[in-house]
Amino acid sequence: MNRSRLALTAAFAALAAALAGGCGDPGGLRGAGATPTAQGPTHLWPDLPPPSAPAEDYGAIESVRVTGVKVPGGDLRKVDPADVVRADFEQNPGTYDPSDASYKETVERLDDCADDDSGARKRCPVLKAYYRDLTGDRKDDLIVGVSTPDDNLDIRVYAEEERRLTQIMEMSDAVLGVELAGRDLIIRAVSSLPGYEYHTVWSWDSHQKTMLPKRDEIVRSGNAPRLKTPRPAPSASDGR
């Protein structure tokens, strides 16, 4: 047997001895203890009759055509957002009642957006517009916020379809903040529960052809006051 084979044989023997010795572990299977019994879902009130009508649904949005506004080349960046909002508000009150004072005042203030006077332009309630492809058609959609007299923010989203303007989302709330994350629109709103706020994630639904609130949750507000841990009362042994 040559030296290389002798070295290989010795190395193999040493490895086998190390594996056999280990750390006192015989290498057999060991129990992991008792396994908790799996519990499936429990159906409550299985005999409930089916509802006769659907409940009033927050965010039951339908797409709405907005007429009277041309979209040059199908590019929403070439359209004045104030023109879009003004036409949409006049045609689609959305969450407002046309007889509501806040709605009427908002429509009146929208006329200031087209005024050449700088003072009137400052009264325009349309906030800075943002653009993002929310529908996944590789074209930027238009996101607009309108401050209303009732201290709410009316948020509307528009898409371009075959050179026609379409409103694909409308909501109004006491908004704390709005964020874009990918193709989702995340809206933070005031909650009636002190120290908490609502987070609603609006996403494009290809079946309904609108933005829908796919996730709605109430969370602890980041600005909520922290609860102070009470300090223990001093004992007599402290010498105080």
Side-chain angles (χ1 to χ4, degrees):
M1 185 178 293
N2 58 34
R3 291 183 178 179
S4 60
R5 289 187 178 181
L6 285 173
L8 182 60
T9 301
F12 179 78
L15 177 61
L19 292 175
C23 296
D25 187 353
L29 296 177
R30 291 178 296 177
T35 302
T37 303
Q39 294 183 348
T42 301
H43 297 281
L44 307 185
W45 309 296
D47 299 327
L48 279 177
S52 59
E56 189 86 21
D57 185 21
Y58 166 75
I61 305 297
E62 295 182 358
S63 61
V64 179
R65 295 290 186 188
V66 181
T67 61
V69 180
K70 295 183 178 180
V71 184
D75 187 355
L76 287 172
R77 291 179 177 270
K78 297 181 180 179
V79 181
D80 187 340
D83 291 342
V84 174
V85 172
R86 187 163 53 252
D88 190 23
F89 258 76
E90 291 174 353
Q91 299 169 31
N92 310 301
T95 55
Y96 289 95
D97 188 291
S99 62
D100 186 78
S102 293
Y103 172 75
K104 291 181 178 180
E105 186 175 342
T106 301
V107 172
E108 293 176 358
R109 291 172 58 194
L110 286 171
D111 290 336
D112 293 332
C113 301
D115 200 312
D116 293 333
D117 180 67
S118 59
R121 294 283 295 185
K122 289 181 180 180
R123 294 191 297 270
C124 175
V126 181
L127 306 183
K128 174 185 176 181
Y130 290 89
Y131 301 87
R132 176 71 65 90
D133 177 14
L134 299 176
T135 63
D137 62 357
R138 299 183 180 180
K139 296 187 298 183
D140 281 339
D141 303 304
L142 171 63
I143 306 166
V144 180
V146 181
S147 57
T148 55
D150 53 3
D151 293 329
N152 282 354
L153 183 66
D154 191 292
I155 299 175
R156 302 192 180 208
V157 179
Y158 304 91
E160 186 277 334
E161 298 177 346
E162 300 177 355
R163 304 294 176 89
R164 292 182 296 180
L165 190 63
T166 304
Q167 181 214 97
I168 60 173
M169 173 186 164
E170 189 273 334
M171 62 83 62
S172 181
D173 209 339
V175 175
L176 294 170
V178 183
E179 300 174 6
L180 277 171
R183 289 167 52 195
D184 292 335
L185 193 62
I186 306 171
I187 298 176
R188 298 171 45 236
V190 173
S191 167
S192 58
L193 187 63
Y196 289 82
E197 60 186 48
Y198 288 111
H199 287 190
T200 306
V201 180
W202 292 75
S203 305
W204 170 252
D205 186 272
S206 58
H207 177 74
Q208 187 68 14
K209 301 295 184 183
T210 59
M211 299 285 288
L212 294 179
K214 295 295 184 71
R215 188 167 74 250
D216 193 18
E217 58 183 351
I218 183 170
V219 299
R220 184 72 172 158
S221 174
N223 297 324
R226 295 182 179 274
L227 295 178
K228 295 182 179 180
T229 304
R231 298 178 62 183
S235 61
S237 60
D238 291 337
R240 298 177 183 175

